Amino acid sequence: MEFIGHLWSLLPSLPRTLIAFAVVLGVLVFVHELGHYLAARWRGVHVEAFSIGFGRPVVKGVDRQGTEWRLGWIPLGGYVKMHGQETPEDAPPEVRATWQPGRTFHGKPVGSRAIVVAAGPFANFLLAVLLFAGLFMSIGQPVGGTGVGTVMEGSAAARAGLLAGDEIVALDGQKVARFEQVQRYVQPRAGQPIAVQVLRDGAAVTVTAVPEPRENAQGTVGVLGIQGGAARFERLDPVSALWAGTVQTADITWQTLVGIGEMISGQRSAKELGGPIRIAEISGEAANLGIGALVNLMAVLSVSLGLLNLFPIPILDGGHLMFYAAEAIRGRPLPPKVQEYGFRAGFAVLIALFLFASRNDIVEGGIGKFVARLLG
């Protein structure tokens, strides 16, 4: 391991970032598609192809089940192609003639199709639980992570009366257990009063702090002006680690939904939305900090990928589930025209989000800063 770490440190920054990005994204996509694949096999659907990456295959092979496994040269996603995935109306007669009775995707009941579609996001949530559990068993779970280590002179925290040694237990009545929860709550509330409840010498004390606005790569964020104390780590047994990993995954899921809601309502800057370039940058940074940081990042991104795919946007898994729910209620599928227009609208939304996130990556991220330094 030390030899590998030494070789890793000798690599230039760009190759390290690209390798870390490929590993992180490759694992997340593989697990997501594996969820679809295993569920399809379970429900009796034949899988024609399993691909990691898009474009012309760099490596491919066929297994005993007749599934072609591919590794595409564009590492920005993947897919599972199921037998009879097209509706009978969309498939020409010569294609329908090749369908294997009882093994087509659209020949299955709506419940089975929903299971196959939902299995991809479920696999990402399960991966996050297992990765967090692995970290809690090997490195340990942070304990007592809301202690105030330092209070900056003249800061919002100093004016509110916060002291080094205080332990933050709640913000506006919402309990917090880790310092990152404090940061996530404070950052979108620049200029807004926050009731900060702390434990000080064993007694509960509540003060009101107004975070100061500060500009960073994500836009304007609120800052209290405190630094967290050193967190201690406690290793957990496997059962406790699995439960803690589940709680951590649920907490990140909820915080992500809250953050999206705050972006929609304007409480948080949409500049925080990132795309592939930002993921590559933070993957490289995490890899430089060690395997623990990289695994933690992979777990967080796995939650994000699973959650994103559950959004009710046609083309995504959540959009398919929305159509299947309508089919279950109506007793028959939605009209083909409705589905077609839905998929077109969903595709347009995804392209718009991708372009907006990529713009943030370039303008607000490391590339934008590099260009600004050149021009300055």
Side-chain angles (χ1 to χ4, degrees), residues 1-125:
M1 288 296 292
E2 291 183 3
F3 177 70
I4 295 174
H6 178 66
L7 287 179
W8 179 260
S9 65
L10 293 177
L11 285 174
S13 177
L14 181 59
R16 281 204 307 265
T17 296
L18 293 177
I19 292 172
F21 174 66
V23 169
V24 169
L25 194 62
V27 170
L28 299 187
V29 170
F30 175 77
V31 169
H32 181 91
E33 300 303 335
L34 185 64
H36 291 312
Y37 171 81
L38 293 176
R41 291 284 306 275
W42 174 39
R43 306 312 296 174
V45 178
H46 173 57
V47 179
E48 296 182 355
F50 186 116
S51 178
I52 301 300
F54 299 108
R56 181 175 299 176
V58 177
V59 179
K60 65 178 181 179
V62 180
D63 64 15
R64 289 182 297 178
Q65 305 296 328
T67 301
E68 184 177 81
W69 296 74
R70 305 169 182 166
L71 180 63
W73 71 276
I74 305 176
L76 291 177
Y79 62 90
V80 168
K81 186 177 186 306
M82 282 168 272
H83 186 58
Q85 196 162 346
E86 314 91 337
T87 61
E89 295 80 9
D90 294 334
E94 59 270 19
V95 172
R96 293 200 301 270
T98 65
W99 285 355
Q100 304 172 27
R103 302 190 70 191
T104 61
F105 177 74
H106 272 290
K108 296 296 179 180
V110 65
S112 292
R113 282 179 275 142
I115 288 173
V116 173
V117 169
F122 175 80
N124 282 122
F125 288 118

Side-chain angles (χ1 to χ4, degrees), residues 324-349:
Y324 295 155
E327 180 179 343
I329 294 170
R330 298 175 75 242
R332 62 186 186 280
L334 290 173
K337 278 293 182 183
V338 173
Q339 297 189 46
E340 180 185 350
Y341 290 142
F343 287 130
R344 288 182 181 180
F347 182 74
V349 169

